[in-house]
Amino acid sequence: MIWQLDLIILVLVIVCAIAAINVKDLLSAAILLGAYSFLLCLLWAIMGAVDVAFTEATVGAGVSTVFCVSAVFHTTRRTTD
Amino acid sequence: MDFLTVLISRANYWAYIILMMVGLYAMIAKNNLVKKIVGMSIFQTAVILFYVSIGAKQGATIPILRHGPVPEGGGIAHAALRHGTDAVQAVNYINPLPHVLMLTAIVVGVATLGVALALAIKVYKEYGTLEENEINQRLRRG
């Protein structure tokens, strides 16, 4: 585990999470959630959990982003918070 | 150990606490249903971060053996490989048990996300909005 890389990615993960819940557009929130998942995938690879890393990349980042984007297109992008 | 060393060496756990609270805040305080679901997803991945951090070790490699298992018998040389300094040392390998548990948790997380988004779509088709206060107003009006 390289702790410098670990710290940088942890900061980016927290920034992505806060941005995903504060942005005023639901499509942007879905894409930021995908970026958050890919950053977590890098974090698992750094911590040596390679099996968790590729499961997160395919299932967590790939499939859940597609779910969120399709749900936004079936409903609305508008949000008040 | 001074404060800064503690802060850096436990950075994963601090980040886990922050992410979990961000997810909980989004689930409780946000008004939009999709924002609540995003908060739930963040909360789940925070728990996964906690578990994987438990298994991580400084100076260890991924949990795959460098050489195969030593065969039974085979005299003094193989006995040394089984018990001596060349034997498999658990301290050199990251603990794989939390990883296996979290593989299941990721898949379950995506399944709950799918169900929650399907329910949100049904709510939108019924009420024409995703905002919680507008849904409550329409429910009160009857």
Side-chain angles (χ1 to χ4, degrees), chain A residues 1 6-7 10 21-23 36 40 44 47-49 55-56 59 64 79-81, chain B residues 11-12 15 19 30-32 35 45 49 58 62 94 99 103 106 110 113 124 131:
Chain A
M1 194 164 82
D6 192 59
L7 273 185
L10 281 177
I21 67 164
N22 277 325
V23 73
Y36 167 84
L40 278 178
W44 308 148
M47 284 199 276
T55 310
E56 178 80 33
V59 181
S64 63
T79 174
T80 53
D81 55 5
Chain B
N12 277 350
L19 284 178
K30 289 292 171 183
N31 202 26
N32 191 284
K35 284 288 178 67
T45 45
L49 175 60
Q58 201 69 253
I62 57 173
I94 294 163
H99 302 175
L103 283 184
I106 290 174
V110 172
L113 183 80
Y124 181 78
E131 306 292 321

PDB file of all heavy atoms in Angstrom, chain A residues 1 6-7 10 21-23 36 40 44 47-49 55-56 59 64 79-81, chain B residues 11-12 15 19 30-32 35 45 49 58 62 94 99 103 106 110 113 124 131:
ATOM      1  N   MET A   1       0.854  -1.200   0.000  1.00  0.00           N
ATOM      2  CA  MET A   1       0.000   0.000   0.000  1.00  0.00           C
ATOM      3  C   MET A   1       0.883   1.241   0.000  1.00  0.00           C
ATOM      4  O   MET A   1       1.715   1.408   0.871  1.00  0.00           O
ATOM      5  CB  MET A   1      -0.915  -0.027   1.229  1.00  0.00           C
ATOM      6  CG  MET A   1      -2.036   0.941   1.165  1.00  0.00           C
ATOM      7  SD  MET A   1      -3.313   0.591   2.368  1.00  0.00           S
ATOM      8  CE  MET A   1      -2.628   1.334   3.823  1.00  0.00           C
ATOM      9  N   ASP A   6      -2.693   6.687  -1.639  1.00  0.00           N
ATOM     10  CA  ASP A   6      -3.886   6.396  -0.851  1.00  0.00           C
ATOM     11  C   ASP A   6      -4.548   7.690  -0.371  1.00  0.00           C
ATOM     12  O   ASP A   6      -5.762   7.879  -0.532  1.00  0.00           O
ATOM     13  CB  ASP A   6      -3.453   5.535   0.336  1.00  0.00           C
ATOM     14  CG  ASP A   6      -4.606   4.925   1.082  1.00  0.00           C
ATOM     15  OD1 ASP A   6      -5.368   4.193   0.443  1.00  0.00           O
ATOM     16  OD2 ASP A   6      -4.737   5.187   2.277  1.00  0.00           O
ATOM     17  N   LEU A   7      -3.722   8.629   0.168  1.00  0.00           N
ATOM     18  CA  LEU A   7      -4.269   9.894   0.681  1.00  0.00           C
ATOM     19  C   LEU A   7      -4.897  10.718  -0.427  1.00  0.00           C
ATOM     20  O   LEU A   7      -6.011  11.242  -0.264  1.00  0.00           O
ATOM     21  CB  LEU A   7      -3.160  10.711   1.343  1.00  0.00           C
ATOM     22  CG  LEU A   7      -2.881  10.443   2.814  1.00  0.00           C
ATOM     23  CD1 LEU A   7      -1.853  11.431   3.317  1.00  0.00           C
ATOM     24  CD2 LEU A   7      -4.153  10.593   3.619  1.00  0.00           C
ATOM     25  N   LEU A  10      -8.173   9.189  -1.481  1.00  0.00           N
ATOM     26  CA  LEU A  10      -9.201   9.356  -0.445  1.00  0.00           C
ATOM     27  C   LEU A  10      -9.813  10.749  -0.502  1.00  0.00           C
ATOM     28  O   LEU A  10     -11.031  10.914  -0.401  1.00  0.00           O
ATOM     29  CB  LEU A  10      -8.610   9.104   0.939  1.00  0.00           C
ATOM     30  CG  LEU A  10      -8.427   7.658   1.363  1.00  0.00           C
ATOM     31  CD1 LEU A  10      -7.769   7.596   2.716  1.00  0.00           C
ATOM     32  CD2 LEU A  10      -9.740   6.945   1.406  1.00  0.00           C
ATOM     33  N   ILE A  21     -23.863  14.616  -4.049  1.00  0.00           N
ATOM     34  CA  ILE A  21     -25.119  14.889  -3.351  1.00  0.00           C
ATOM     35  C   ILE A  21     -25.481  16.368  -3.362  1.00  0.00           C
ATOM     36  O   ILE A  21     -26.584  16.715  -2.983  1.00  0.00           O
ATOM     37  CB  ILE A  21     -25.123  14.363  -1.902  1.00  0.00           C
ATOM     38  CG1 ILE A  21     -24.137  15.112  -1.050  1.00  0.00           C
ATOM     39  CG2 ILE A  21     -24.875  12.884  -1.858  1.00  0.00           C
ATOM     40  CD1 ILE A  21     -24.381  14.897   0.412  1.00  0.00           C
ATOM     41  N   ASN A  22     -24.575  17.251  -3.792  1.00  0.00           N
ATOM     42  CA  ASN A  22     -24.896  18.680  -3.762  1.00  0.00           C
ATOM     43  C   ASN A  22     -25.188  19.283  -5.119  1.00  0.00           C
ATOM     44  O   ASN A  22     -25.672  20.403  -5.193  1.00  0.00           O
ATOM     45  CB  ASN A  22     -23.744  19.465  -3.117  1.00  0.00           C
ATOM     46  CG  ASN A  22     -23.842  19.434  -1.618  1.00  0.00           C
ATOM     47  OD1 ASN A  22     -24.928  19.437  -1.063  1.00  0.00           O
ATOM     48  ND2 ASN A  22     -22.698  19.381  -0.959  1.00  0.00           N
ATOM     49  N   VAL A  23     -24.889  18.566  -6.215  1.00  0.00           N
ATOM     50  CA  VAL A  23     -25.050  19.159  -7.540  1.00  0.00           C
ATOM     51  C   VAL A  23     -26.552  19.283  -7.856  1.00  0.00           C
ATOM     52  O   VAL A  23     -27.372  18.499  -7.375  1.00  0.00           O
ATOM     53  CB  VAL A  23     -24.278  18.298  -8.571  1.00  0.00           C
ATOM     54  CG1 VAL A  23     -24.981  17.001  -8.848  1.00  0.00           C
ATOM     55  CG2 VAL A  23     -24.050  19.065  -9.836  1.00  0.00           C
ATOM     56  N   TYR A  36     -17.044   8.488  -8.665  1.00  0.00           N
ATOM     57  CA  TYR A  36     -16.778   8.056  -7.286  1.00  0.00           C
ATOM     58  C   TYR A  36     -16.484   6.560  -7.234  1.00  0.00           C
ATOM     59  O   TYR A  36     -15.529   6.119  -6.586  1.00  0.00           O
ATOM     60  CB  TYR A  36     -18.010   8.433  -6.464  1.00  0.00           C
ATOM     61  CG  TYR A  36     -18.138   7.847  -5.098  1.00  0.00           C
ATOM     62  CD1 TYR A  36     -17.507   8.446  -4.026  1.00  0.00           C
ATOM     63  CD2 TYR A  36     -18.908   6.720  -4.871  1.00  0.00           C
ATOM     64  CE1 TYR A  36     -17.633   7.925  -2.757  1.00  0.00           C
ATOM     65  CE2 TYR A  36     -19.042   6.197  -3.611  1.00  0.00           C
ATOM     66  CZ  TYR A  36     -18.395   6.797  -2.558  1.00  0.00           C
ATOM     67  OH  TYR A  36     -18.522   6.268  -1.317  1.00  0.00           O
ATOM     68  N   LEU A  40     -13.006   4.627  -6.143  1.00  0.00           N
ATOM     69  CA  LEU A  40     -12.964   3.576  -5.132  1.00  0.00           C
ATOM     70  C   LEU A  40     -12.325   2.308  -5.685  1.00  0.00           C
ATOM     71  O   LEU A  40     -11.600   1.619  -4.977  1.00  0.00           O
ATOM     72  CB  LEU A  40     -14.375   3.257  -4.645  1.00  0.00           C
ATOM     73  CG  LEU A  40     -14.942   4.172  -3.579  1.00  0.00           C
ATOM     74  CD1 LEU A  40     -16.344   3.755  -3.263  1.00  0.00           C
ATOM     75  CD2 LEU A  40     -14.118   4.121  -2.331  1.00  0.00           C
ATOM     76  N   TRP A  44      -9.257   0.211  -4.065  1.00  0.00           N
ATOM     77  CA  TRP A  44      -9.181  -1.228  -3.751  1.00  0.00           C
ATOM     78  C   TRP A  44      -7.932  -1.827  -4.374  1.00  0.00           C
ATOM     79  O   TRP A  44      -7.278  -2.672  -3.755  1.00  0.00           O
ATOM     80  CB  TRP A  44     -10.392  -2.008  -4.260  1.00  0.00           C
ATOM     81  CG  TRP A  44     -11.765  -1.550  -3.919  1.00  0.00           C
ATOM     82  CD1 TRP A  44     -12.866  -1.692  -4.710  1.00  0.00           C
ATOM     83  CD2 TRP A  44     -12.245  -0.916  -2.736  1.00  0.00           C
ATOM     84  NE1 TRP A  44     -13.960  -1.158  -4.080  1.00  0.00           N
ATOM     85  CE2 TRP A  44     -13.603  -0.681  -2.878  1.00  0.00           C
ATOM     86  CE3 TRP A  44     -11.624  -0.498  -1.567  1.00  0.00           C
ATOM     87  CZ2 TRP A  44     -14.382  -0.063  -1.919  1.00  0.00           C
ATOM     88  CZ3 TRP A  44     -12.379   0.121  -0.601  1.00  0.00           C
ATOM     89  CH2 TRP A  44     -13.745   0.330  -0.785  1.00  0.00           C
ATOM     90  N   MET A  47      -5.018  -1.066  -2.219  1.00  0.00           N
ATOM     91  CA  MET A  47      -5.003  -1.824  -0.964  1.00  0.00           C
ATOM     92  C   MET A  47      -4.841  -3.318  -1.184  1.00  0.00           C
ATOM     93  O   MET A  47      -4.901  -4.095  -0.245  1.00  0.00           O
ATOM     94  CB  MET A  47      -6.285  -1.549  -0.183  1.00  0.00           C
ATOM     95  CG  MET A  47      -6.261  -0.199   0.479  1.00  0.00           C
ATOM     96  SD  MET A  47      -7.437  -0.071   1.782  1.00  0.00           S
ATOM     97  CE  MET A  47      -8.886   0.354   0.896  1.00  0.00           C
ATOM     98  N   GLY A  48      -4.628  -3.755  -2.440  1.00  0.00           N
ATOM     99  CA  GLY A  48      -4.354  -5.161  -2.696  1.00  0.00           C
ATOM    100  C   GLY A  48      -5.574  -6.024  -2.872  1.00  0.00           C
ATOM    101  O   GLY A  48      -5.451  -7.237  -3.000  1.00  0.00           O
ATOM    102  N   ALA A  49      -6.772  -5.426  -2.890  1.00  0.00           N
ATOM    103  CA  ALA A  49      -8.000  -6.206  -3.060  1.00  0.00           C
ATOM    104  C   ALA A  49      -8.376  -6.194  -4.539  1.00  0.00           C
ATOM    105  O   ALA A  49      -9.311  -5.519  -4.947  1.00  0.00           O
ATOM    106  CB  ALA A  49      -9.110  -5.641  -2.201  1.00  0.00           C
ATOM    107  N   THR A  55     -14.570  -6.200  -9.505  1.00  0.00           N
ATOM    108  CA  THR A  55     -16.023  -6.279  -9.332  1.00  0.00           C
ATOM    109  C   THR A  55     -16.628  -4.882  -9.220  1.00  0.00           C
ATOM    110  O   THR A  55     -17.687  -4.602  -9.785  1.00  0.00           O
ATOM    111  CB  THR A  55     -16.370  -7.094  -8.076  1.00  0.00           C
ATOM    112  OG1 THR A  55     -15.647  -8.299  -8.117  1.00  0.00           O
ATOM    113  CG2 THR A  55     -17.832  -7.410  -8.012  1.00  0.00           C
ATOM    114  N   GLU A  56     -15.937  -3.995  -8.477  1.00  0.00           N
ATOM    115  CA  GLU A  56     -16.421  -2.617  -8.350  1.00  0.00           C
ATOM    116  C   GLU A  56     -16.431  -1.925  -9.712  1.00  0.00           C
ATOM    117  O   GLU A  56     -17.355  -1.183 -10.028  1.00  0.00           O
ATOM    118  CB  GLU A  56     -15.527  -1.858  -7.370  1.00  0.00           C
ATOM    119  CG  GLU A  56     -15.881  -0.407  -7.162  1.00  0.00           C
ATOM    120  CD  GLU A  56     -17.039  -0.205  -6.207  1.00  0.00           C
ATOM    121  OE1 GLU A  56     -17.158  -1.010  -5.282  1.00  0.00           O
ATOM    122  OE2 GLU A  56     -17.801   0.755  -6.389  1.00  0.00           O
ATOM    123  N   VAL A  59     -19.406  -3.996 -11.912  1.00  0.00           N
ATOM    124  CA  VAL A  59     -20.755  -3.969 -11.348  1.00  0.00           C
ATOM    125  C   VAL A  59     -21.049  -2.612 -10.701  1.00  0.00           C
ATOM    126  O   VAL A  59     -22.060  -1.982 -11.001  1.00  0.00           O
ATOM    127  CB  VAL A  59     -20.914  -5.118 -10.322  1.00  0.00           C
ATOM    128  CG1 VAL A  59     -22.304  -5.105  -9.754  1.00  0.00           C
ATOM    129  CG2 VAL A  59     -20.631  -6.434 -10.969  1.00  0.00           C
ATOM    130  N   SER A  64     -24.255   0.249 -12.189  1.00  0.00           N
ATOM    131  CA  SER A  64     -25.076   1.190 -11.409  1.00  0.00           C
ATOM    132  C   SER A  64     -25.133   2.556 -12.072  1.00  0.00           C
ATOM    133  O   SER A  64     -26.144   3.261 -11.941  1.00  0.00           O
ATOM    134  CB  SER A  64     -24.572   1.287  -9.970  1.00  0.00           C
ATOM    135  OG  SER A  64     -23.285   1.790  -9.919  1.00  0.00           O
ATOM    136  N   THR A  79     -34.158  18.977  -9.988  1.00  0.00           N
ATOM    137  CA  THR A  79     -34.101  18.759  -8.539  1.00  0.00           C
ATOM    138  C   THR A  79     -33.947  20.116  -7.851  1.00  0.00           C
ATOM    139  O   THR A  79     -33.347  21.033  -8.409  1.00  0.00           O
ATOM    140  CB  THR A  79     -32.954  17.822  -8.154  1.00  0.00           C
ATOM    141  OG1 THR A  79     -32.881  17.762  -6.744  1.00  0.00           O
ATOM    142  CG2 THR A  79     -31.637  18.267  -8.689  1.00  0.00           C
ATOM    143  N   THR A  80     -34.516  20.224  -6.649  1.00  0.00           N
ATOM    144  CA  THR A  80     -34.404  21.497  -5.938  1.00  0.00           C
ATOM    145  C   THR A  80     -33.204  21.529  -5.000  1.00  0.00           C
ATOM    146  O   THR A  80     -32.804  22.605  -4.575  1.00  0.00           O
ATOM    147  CB  THR A  80     -35.669  21.746  -5.112  1.00  0.00           C
ATOM    148  OG1 THR A  80     -35.923  20.619  -4.297  1.00  0.00           O
ATOM    149  CG2 THR A  80     -36.852  22.004  -6.005  1.00  0.00           C
ATOM    150  N   ASP A  81     -32.644  20.363  -4.659  1.00  0.00           N
ATOM    151  CA  ASP A  81     -31.451  20.389  -3.784  1.00  0.00           C
ATOM    152  C   ASP A  81     -30.334  19.537  -4.341  1.00  0.00           C
ATOM    153  O   ASP A  81     -30.505  18.890  -5.366  1.00  0.00           O
ATOM    154  CB  ASP A  81     -31.805  19.920  -2.375  1.00  0.00           C
ATOM    155  CG  ASP A  81     -32.450  18.549  -2.346  1.00  0.00           C
ATOM    156  OD1 ASP A  81     -32.538  17.920  -3.414  1.00  0.00           O
ATOM    157  OD2 ASP A  81     -32.871  18.126  -1.283  1.00  0.00           O
TER     158      ASP A  81
ATOM    159  N   ALA B  11      -5.805   7.058   7.944  1.00  0.00           N
ATOM    160  CA  ALA B  11      -6.561   7.903   7.008  1.00  0.00           C
ATOM    161  C   ALA B  11      -7.763   7.185   6.427  1.00  0.00           C
ATOM    162  O   ALA B  11      -8.824   7.785   6.232  1.00  0.00           O
ATOM    163  CB  ALA B  11      -5.646   8.378   5.890  1.00  0.00           C
ATOM    164  N   ASN B  12      -7.642   5.863   6.179  1.00  0.00           N
ATOM    165  CA  ASN B  12      -8.764   5.114   5.611  1.00  0.00           C
ATOM    166  C   ASN B  12      -9.976   5.151   6.526  1.00  0.00           C
ATOM    167  O   ASN B  12     -11.103   5.264   6.071  1.00  0.00           O
ATOM    168  CB  ASN B  12      -8.359   3.663   5.396  1.00  0.00           C
ATOM    169  CG  ASN B  12      -7.625   3.473   4.107  1.00  0.00           C
ATOM    170  OD1 ASN B  12      -7.578   4.374   3.288  1.00  0.00           O
ATOM    171  ND2 ASN B  12      -7.044   2.321   3.930  1.00  0.00           N
ATOM    172  N   ALA B  15     -11.617   8.594   6.488  1.00  0.00           N
ATOM    173  CA  ALA B  15     -12.390   8.752   5.245  1.00  0.00           C
ATOM    174  C   ALA B  15     -13.670   7.940   5.298  1.00  0.00           C
ATOM    175  O   ALA B  15     -14.717   8.375   4.810  1.00  0.00           O
ATOM    176  CB  ALA B  15     -11.544   8.335   4.051  1.00  0.00           C
ATOM    177  N   LEU B  19     -17.344   9.529   4.765  1.00  0.00           N
ATOM    178  CA  LEU B  19     -18.224   9.064   3.680  1.00  0.00           C
ATOM    179  C   LEU B  19     -19.541   8.540   4.229  1.00  0.00           C
ATOM    180  O   LEU B  19     -20.616   8.783   3.658  1.00  0.00           O
ATOM    181  CB  LEU B  19     -17.537   7.967   2.876  1.00  0.00           C
ATOM    182  CG  LEU B  19     -16.452   8.400   1.908  1.00  0.00           C
ATOM    183  CD1 LEU B  19     -15.850   7.197   1.246  1.00  0.00           C
ATOM    184  CD2 LEU B  19     -17.029   9.336   0.876  1.00  0.00           C
ATOM    185  N   LYS B  30     -31.888  15.208   2.239  1.00  0.00           N
ATOM    186  CA  LYS B  30     -32.174  15.604   0.862  1.00  0.00           C
ATOM    187  C   LYS B  30     -33.646  15.378   0.540  1.00  0.00           C
ATOM    188  O   LYS B  30     -34.286  14.455   1.055  1.00  0.00           O
ATOM    189  CB  LYS B  30     -31.291  14.814  -0.102  1.00  0.00           C
ATOM    190  CG  LYS B  30     -29.839  15.234  -0.055  1.00  0.00           C
ATOM    191  CD  LYS B  30     -29.646  16.615  -0.598  1.00  0.00           C
ATOM    192  CE  LYS B  30     -28.226  17.077  -0.339  1.00  0.00           C
ATOM    193  NZ  LYS B  30     -27.993  18.440  -0.785  1.00  0.00           N
ATOM    194  N   ASN B  31     -34.159  16.219  -0.350  1.00  0.00           N
ATOM    195  CA  ASN B  31     -35.584  16.207  -0.666  1.00  0.00           C
ATOM    196  C   ASN B  31     -35.912  15.338  -1.867  1.00  0.00           C
ATOM    197  O   ASN B  31     -37.023  14.834  -1.991  1.00  0.00           O
ATOM    198  CB  ASN B  31     -36.029  17.649  -0.909  1.00  0.00           C
ATOM    199  CG  ASN B  31     -37.504  17.819  -0.727  1.00  0.00           C
ATOM    200  OD1 ASN B  31     -38.116  17.059   0.010  1.00  0.00           O
ATOM    201  ND2 ASN B  31     -38.073  18.789  -1.406  1.00  0.00           N
ATOM    202  N   ASN B  32     -34.934  15.151  -2.746  1.00  0.00           N
ATOM    203  CA  ASN B  32     -35.159  14.423  -3.998  1.00  0.00           C
ATOM    204  C   ASN B  32     -34.918  12.928  -3.794  1.00  0.00           C
ATOM    205  O   ASN B  32     -33.975  12.528  -3.106  1.00  0.00           O
ATOM    206  CB  ASN B  32     -34.193  14.985  -5.041  1.00  0.00           C
ATOM    207  CG  ASN B  32     -34.515  14.495  -6.412  1.00  0.00           C
ATOM    208  OD1 ASN B  32     -34.226  13.356  -6.738  1.00  0.00           O
ATOM    209  ND2 ASN B  32     -35.133  15.332  -7.221  1.00  0.00           N
ATOM    210  N   LYS B  35     -31.558  11.629  -5.100  1.00  0.00           N
ATOM    211  CA  LYS B  35     -30.466  12.042  -4.212  1.00  0.00           C
ATOM    212  C   LYS B  35     -30.390  11.135  -2.991  1.00  0.00           C
ATOM    213  O   LYS B  35     -29.306  10.769  -2.541  1.00  0.00           O
ATOM    214  CB  LYS B  35     -30.661  13.491  -3.764  1.00  0.00           C
ATOM    215  CG  LYS B  35     -30.316  14.515  -4.805  1.00  0.00           C
ATOM    216  CD  LYS B  35     -28.823  14.577  -4.991  1.00  0.00           C
ATOM    217  CE  LYS B  35     -28.445  15.562  -6.062  1.00  0.00           C
ATOM    218  NZ  LYS B  35     -28.747  16.928  -5.686  1.00  0.00           N
ATOM    219  N   THR B  45     -20.903   1.859   0.094  1.00  0.00           N
ATOM    220  CA  THR B  45     -19.487   1.768  -0.264  1.00  0.00           C
ATOM    221  C   THR B  45     -18.593   2.192   0.901  1.00  0.00           C
ATOM    222  O   THR B  45     -17.460   1.730   0.988  1.00  0.00           O
ATOM    223  CB  THR B  45     -19.183   2.612  -1.496  1.00  0.00           C
ATOM    224  OG1 THR B  45     -19.811   3.867  -1.355  1.00  0.00           O
ATOM    225  CG2 THR B  45     -19.688   1.950  -2.736  1.00  0.00           C
ATOM    226  N   LEU B  49     -15.456   0.139   2.292  1.00  0.00           N
ATOM    227  CA  LEU B  49     -14.137   0.729   2.551  1.00  0.00           C
ATOM    228  C   LEU B  49     -13.633   0.335   3.926  1.00  0.00           C
ATOM    229  O   LEU B  49     -12.451  -0.003   4.095  1.00  0.00           O
ATOM    230  CB  LEU B  49     -14.217   2.255   2.430  1.00  0.00           C
ATOM    231  CG  LEU B  49     -12.958   3.038   2.782  1.00  0.00           C
ATOM    232  CD1 LEU B  49     -11.818   2.645   1.886  1.00  0.00           C
ATOM    233  CD2 LEU B  49     -13.193   4.516   2.688  1.00  0.00           C
ATOM    234  N   GLN B  58       0.535  -3.192   5.724  1.00  0.00           N
ATOM    235  CA  GLN B  58       1.703  -2.501   5.178  1.00  0.00           C
ATOM    236  C   GLN B  58       2.766  -3.535   4.798  1.00  0.00           C
ATOM    237  O   GLN B  58       3.066  -4.439   5.580  1.00  0.00           O
ATOM    238  CB  GLN B  58       2.261  -1.538   6.233  1.00  0.00           C
ATOM    239  CG  GLN B  58       3.118  -0.441   5.679  1.00  0.00           C
ATOM    240  CD  GLN B  58       2.336   0.577   4.859  1.00  0.00           C
ATOM    241  OE1 GLN B  58       2.441   0.603   3.640  1.00  0.00           O
ATOM    242  NE2 GLN B  58       1.549   1.406   5.516  1.00  0.00           N
ATOM    243  N   ILE B  62      -0.511  -9.314  -2.600  1.00  0.00           N
ATOM    244  CA  ILE B  62      -1.859  -9.840  -2.794  1.00  0.00           C
ATOM    245  C   ILE B  62      -1.892 -11.325  -2.425  1.00  0.00           C
ATOM    246  O   ILE B  62      -0.882 -12.015  -2.529  1.00  0.00           O
ATOM    247  CB  ILE B  62      -2.348  -9.615  -4.237  1.00  0.00           C
ATOM    248  CG1 ILE B  62      -1.399 -10.245  -5.238  1.00  0.00           C
ATOM    249  CG2 ILE B  62      -2.504  -8.152  -4.516  1.00  0.00           C
ATOM    250  CD1 ILE B  62      -1.902 -10.208  -6.637  1.00  0.00           C
ATOM    251  N   ILE B  94      -1.910 -10.213   2.289  1.00  0.00           N
ATOM    252  CA  ILE B  94      -3.074  -9.465   2.759  1.00  0.00           C
ATOM    253  C   ILE B  94      -4.186 -10.450   3.102  1.00  0.00           C
ATOM    254  O   ILE B  94      -4.351 -11.464   2.426  1.00  0.00           O
ATOM    255  CB  ILE B  94      -3.518  -8.486   1.656  1.00  0.00           C
ATOM    256  CG1 ILE B  94      -2.434  -7.430   1.434  1.00  0.00           C
ATOM    257  CG2 ILE B  94      -4.823  -7.821   1.987  1.00  0.00           C
ATOM    258  CD1 ILE B  94      -2.572  -6.703   0.157  1.00  0.00           C
ATOM    259  N   HIS B  99     -12.207  -9.339   1.737  1.00  0.00           N
ATOM    260  CA  HIS B  99     -12.441  -9.116   0.303  1.00  0.00           C
ATOM    261  C   HIS B  99     -13.588  -9.985  -0.191  1.00  0.00           C
ATOM    262  O   HIS B  99     -14.459  -9.531  -0.931  1.00  0.00           O
ATOM    263  CB  HIS B  99     -11.186  -9.457  -0.498  1.00  0.00           C
ATOM    264  CG  HIS B  99      -9.981  -8.684  -0.095  1.00  0.00           C
ATOM    265  ND1 HIS B  99      -8.751  -8.913  -0.629  1.00  0.00           N
ATOM    266  CD2 HIS B  99      -9.830  -7.693   0.783  1.00  0.00           C
ATOM    267  CE1 HIS B  99      -7.895  -8.091  -0.095  1.00  0.00           C
ATOM    268  NE2 HIS B  99      -8.511  -7.338   0.772  1.00  0.00           N
ATOM    269  N   LEU B 103     -17.172  -8.732  -1.839  1.00  0.00           N
ATOM    270  CA  LEU B 103     -17.643  -9.039  -3.197  1.00  0.00           C
ATOM    271  C   LEU B 103     -19.156  -9.217  -3.190  1.00  0.00           C
ATOM    272  O   LEU B 103     -19.875  -8.693  -4.044  1.00  0.00           O
ATOM    273  CB  LEU B 103     -16.999 -10.331  -3.708  1.00  0.00           C
ATOM    274  CG  LEU B 103     -15.567 -10.273  -4.180  1.00  0.00           C
ATOM    275  CD1 LEU B 103     -15.170 -11.622  -4.717  1.00  0.00           C
ATOM    276  CD2 LEU B 103     -15.425  -9.246  -5.255  1.00  0.00           C
ATOM    277  N   ILE B 106     -20.968  -5.804  -2.691  1.00  0.00           N
ATOM    278  CA  ILE B 106     -21.061  -4.937  -3.882  1.00  0.00           C
ATOM    279  C   ILE B 106     -22.236  -5.363  -4.752  1.00  0.00           C
ATOM    280  O   ILE B 106     -23.035  -4.539  -5.214  1.00  0.00           O
ATOM    281  CB  ILE B 106     -19.743  -4.981  -4.677  1.00  0.00           C
ATOM    282  CG1 ILE B 106     -18.634  -4.278  -3.910  1.00  0.00           C
ATOM    283  CG2 ILE B 106     -19.909  -4.335  -6.035  1.00  0.00           C
ATOM    284  CD1 ILE B 106     -17.290  -4.415  -4.551  1.00  0.00           C
ATOM    285  N   VAL B 110     -25.713  -3.200  -5.691  1.00  0.00           N
ATOM    286  CA  VAL B 110     -26.261  -2.874  -7.014  1.00  0.00           C
ATOM    287  C   VAL B 110     -27.703  -3.355  -7.128  1.00  0.00           C
ATOM    288  O   VAL B 110     -28.555  -2.678  -7.711  1.00  0.00           O
ATOM    289  CB  VAL B 110     -25.366  -3.454  -8.116  1.00  0.00           C
ATOM    290  CG1 VAL B 110     -26.017  -3.305  -9.468  1.00  0.00           C
ATOM    291  CG2 VAL B 110     -24.054  -2.748  -8.116  1.00  0.00           C
ATOM    292  N   LEU B 113     -29.861  -0.921  -5.310  1.00  0.00           N
ATOM    293  CA  LEU B 113     -29.928   0.309  -6.102  1.00  0.00           C
ATOM    294  C   LEU B 113     -30.935   0.175  -7.237  1.00  0.00           C
ATOM    295  O   LEU B 113     -31.743   1.083  -7.477  1.00  0.00           O
ATOM    296  CB  LEU B 113     -28.539   0.639  -6.661  1.00  0.00           C
ATOM    297  CG  LEU B 113     -28.410   1.925  -7.458  1.00  0.00           C
ATOM    298  CD1 LEU B 113     -28.306   3.100  -6.526  1.00  0.00           C
ATOM    299  CD2 LEU B 113     -27.213   1.873  -8.364  1.00  0.00           C
ATOM    300  N   TYR B 124     -42.621   8.400  -9.718  1.00  0.00           N
ATOM    301  CA  TYR B 124     -42.686   9.519 -10.666  1.00  0.00           C
ATOM    302  C   TYR B 124     -43.867   9.353 -11.626  1.00  0.00           C
ATOM    303  O   TYR B 124     -44.557  10.319 -11.947  1.00  0.00           O
ATOM    304  CB  TYR B 124     -41.380   9.604 -11.454  1.00  0.00           C
ATOM    305  CG  TYR B 124     -41.364  10.750 -12.422  1.00  0.00           C
ATOM    306  CD1 TYR B 124     -41.129  12.047 -11.976  1.00  0.00           C
ATOM    307  CD2 TYR B 124     -41.599  10.551 -13.774  1.00  0.00           C
ATOM    308  CE1 TYR B 124     -41.128  13.102 -12.841  1.00  0.00           C
ATOM    309  CE2 TYR B 124     -41.605  11.611 -14.652  1.00  0.00           C
ATOM    310  CZ  TYR B 124     -41.368  12.881 -14.172  1.00  0.00           C
ATOM    311  OH  TYR B 124     -41.371  13.931 -15.038  1.00  0.00           O
ATOM    312  N   GLU B 131     -39.816  15.040  -5.929  1.00  0.00           N
ATOM    313  CA  GLU B 131     -39.549  15.773  -4.684  1.00  0.00           C
ATOM    314  C   GLU B 131     -40.468  15.258  -3.583  1.00  0.00           C
ATOM    315  O   GLU B 131     -41.675  15.111  -3.775  1.00  0.00           O
ATOM    316  CB  GLU B 131     -39.803  17.267  -4.895  1.00  0.00           C
ATOM    317  CG  GLU B 131     -39.054  17.861  -6.051  1.00  0.00           C
ATOM    318  CD  GLU B 131     -37.567  17.897  -5.809  1.00  0.00           C
ATOM    319  OE1 GLU B 131     -37.166  18.178  -4.669  1.00  0.00           O
ATOM    320  OE2 GLU B 131     -36.811  17.622  -6.751  1.00  0.00           O
TER     321      GLU B 131
END
